[in-house]
Amino acid sequence: MPFSVIIDAGHGGGDLGAVHDGRQEKDDNLRLAMAVGRLLEQAGYDVSYTRTTDIYQTPYEKAQAANASGADLFVSIHRNSAEYPDQYTGVETLVYDDSGLKAQMARNINSNLEKLGFRNIGVTERPNLVVLNSTQMPALLVEAGFINSGKDNQIFDRQFDAVARAIADGIEAAAGPAGKEVYYRVQTGLFRNRDNAQRMLYRLLGQGFPAFLSYENGLFRVQVGAFKNMENAVRMEQRLRNQGYETLIVTE
């Protein structure tokens, strides 16, 4: 089955979100959410939305809609804001915790948006947000620049199609091509030197982990497992982190 994504346009209806010079965050969010969704649909992904019009939903209702959809991924689109105009600039992606496929997607998205001229604030853990802690699937919230930053609005408006593409490409790069059976692997190391990679491989094998070594583009990758279910990969990742490994979930 195709990888499925539910896209949330933050705020809506009477909840305007951040406002600057008459510009309302809820409108930017909806426009960008629909554009990202169209790109993912064109790539073959199964896409649904929490809203496609200007309606209000509580964050809990958004999370419940996502859970009812059975989607593989939840992506919420927002614009950031600061106390004063032009106080801050940049893009940021929020996650419940900095692990798994969502963390890789978040970094992909930030990196792609940085190439368009945004400052890359980074990936931030926000376990207190309902749309991140009440969704049953991996979830991330993209802050696509500050709505009260002239620089960010200029990028957002003049390169709008590229902004949407940056987000969609960041998702696809981590999730893999739509319709293709995806396997999740937990990567523990990336080396140019084969001996260093083999030392980590032998240590993992000695600890009973199903580790293996792969080679691609001049780099040796030490990875563990090949899981069809991402939840199993996340559990393996936690076991490895408990053993002191720095991990990243990747797809094949």
Side-chain angles (χ1 to χ4, degrees):
M1 294 179 61
F3 193 91
S4 59
V5 182
I6 184 164
I7 300 180
D8 168 50
H11 307 287
D15 179 8
L16 309 183
V19 178
H20 176 66
D21 285 344
R23 183 171 191 151
Q24 299 177 355
E25 182 191 355
K26 66 172 185 173
D27 297 329
D28 281 1
N29 295 345
L30 181 57
R31 182 179 170 217
L32 183 56
M34 297 301 293
V36 172
R38 284 192 295 271
L39 290 171
L40 290 173
E41 287 173 349
Q42 291 167 10
Y45 286 77
D46 182 5
V47 179
S48 56
Y49 304 86
T50 59
R51 69 180 179 101
T52 58
T53 58
D54 186 20
I55 62 171
Y56 172 71
Q57 302 153 303
T58 67
Y60 182 73
E61 286 173 331
K62 291 173 181 286
Q64 287 297 97
N67 294 338
S69 75
D72 298 309
L73 176 71
F74 176 88
V75 180
S76 189
I77 303 293
H78 285 254
R79 302 288 313 278
N80 217 332
S81 185
E83 185 176 2
Y84 305 107
D86 296 312
Q87 183 180 11
Y88 300 115
T89 64
V91 294
E92 179 181 25
T93 301
L94 313 181
V95 294
Y96 178 80
D97 58 59
D98 191 7
S99 67
L101 190 67
K102 63 184 181 297
Q104 183 59 51
M105 287 182 179
R107 283 176 170 76
N108 291 348
I109 290 168
N110 287 354
S111 177
N112 289 348
L113 290 171
E114 184 179 13
K115 293 172 184 175
L116 300 180
F118 286 108
R119 183 171 71 94
N120 186 348
I121 297 174
V123 178
T124 302
E125 293 185 340
R126 289 288 298 275
N128 60 318
L129 294 182
V130 172
V131 294
L132 300 182
N133 66 30
S134 296
T135 42
Q136 296 171 353
M137 68 289 293
L140 46 93
L141 188 154
V142 181
E143 296 276 14
F146 283 76
I147 199 169
N148 59 350
S149 161
K151 177 184 176 183
D152 284 358
N153 283 340
Q154 185 177 77
I155 298 171
F156 187 94
D157 294 335
R158 293 185 179 181
Q159 302 187 69
F160 179 80
D161 291 343
V163 171
R165 171 63 67 185
I167 296 171
D169 285 353
I171 293 169
E172 187 172 356
K180 177 183 176 182
E181 189 168 36
V182 175
Y183 287 90
Y184 302 98
R185 304 177 186 274
V186 185
Q187 186 164 293
T188 59
L190 187 65
F191 303 91
R192 292 193 180 279
N193 184 286
R194 185 184 184 94
D195 290 341
N196 293 337
Q198 286 182 323
R199 276 192 287 271
M200 176 174 283
L201 173 67
Y202 296 148
R203 184 165 73 250
L204 286 162
L205 292 172
Q207 293 173 317
F209 291 107
F212 61 93
L213 192 64
S214 65
Y215 180 79
E216 185 179 351
N217 298 326
L219 295 170
F220 295 94
R221 292 168 167 78
V222 183
Q223 298 176 339
V224 175
F227 305 96
K228 288 186 178 181
N229 188 311
M230 188 168 63
E231 291 180 0
N232 293 334
V234 170
R235 283 194 285 269
M236 176 60 75
E237 181 185 43
Q238 189 57 57
R239 285 180 56 197
L240 289 160
R241 288 194 171 200
N242 290 341
Q243 293 293 325
Y245 293 97
E246 294 184 5
T247 61
L248 179 68
I249 293 181
V250 298
T251 58
E252 180 192 65

